[in-house]
Amino acid sequence: KDDSYLKNEFLSTVQKRGAAVISARKMSSAMSAAKATADHMRDWWCGTQGDNWVSMGVVSDGSYGIEKGLMYSFPVRISGGKWTIVQGLDIDDFERGMMDATAKELCEERDMSEQE
């Protein structure tokens, strides 16, 4: 595992992916979002095989310390159209910090939308 790459180059690339798609394709990143949506639905419909799992935005049951009821991206296995959050994955301090920052942003967005 290359922690330096994950914490620097990879993280920066992911944060800038929308702009990169627009620059490379000279069109909106909406197609990328549409592809992700189609992949999500395929995984939900077809399920995952064996020990494989996918990341999917689902309602938190409190797993990994994420507030219960918050829509959050978790590792899930899918069978028969039903998802189950994968338990027991190792989370290091960097990953915990990123997860907590994401959860905080999602809670702030949720709270703001509930005030409107």
Side-chain angles (χ1 to χ4, degrees):
K1 177 170 152 180
D2 184 351
D3 284 343
S4 177
Y5 169 76
L6 289 175
K7 293 176 184 177
N8 297 296
E9 184 179 344
F10 178 74
L11 187 58
S12 176
T13 299
V14 169
Q15 290 170 334
K16 298 174 185 172
R17 69 190 175 279
V21 168
I22 291 168
S23 175
R25 295 189 178 162
K26 308 294 186 235
M27 64 176 80
S28 168
S29 60
M31 183 57 92
S32 179
K35 169 88 168 77
T37 301
D39 290 347
H40 188 89
M41 295 307 294
R42 179 204 61 227
D43 292 335
W44 197 359
W45 182 261
C46 297
T48 54
Q49 303 300 313
D51 288 337
N52 293 335
W53 51 266
V54 295
S55 295
M56 188 172 279
V58 300
V59 178
S60 175
D61 62 0
S63 292
Y64 296 99
I66 302 302
E67 179 182 320
K68 189 174 183 177
L70 184 66
M71 286 297 295
Y72 195 89
S73 181
F74 286 98
V76 297
R77 289 194 178 99
I78 308 161
S79 179
K82 298 187 187 299
W83 52 265
T84 305
I85 297 174
V86 176
Q87 300 296 325
L89 298 179
D90 291 331
I91 307 295
D92 67 24
D93 290 341
F94 174 75
E95 294 161 340
R96 175 84 270 154
M98 297 301 291
M99 291 172 66
D100 290 346
T102 299
K104 182 176 185 267
E105 288 177 17
L106 291 169
C107 285
E108 289 169 355
E109 290 174 7
R110 177 203 58 207
D111 294 347
M112 203 166 37
S113 72
E114 290 175 350
Q115 292 176 359
E116 295 176 359

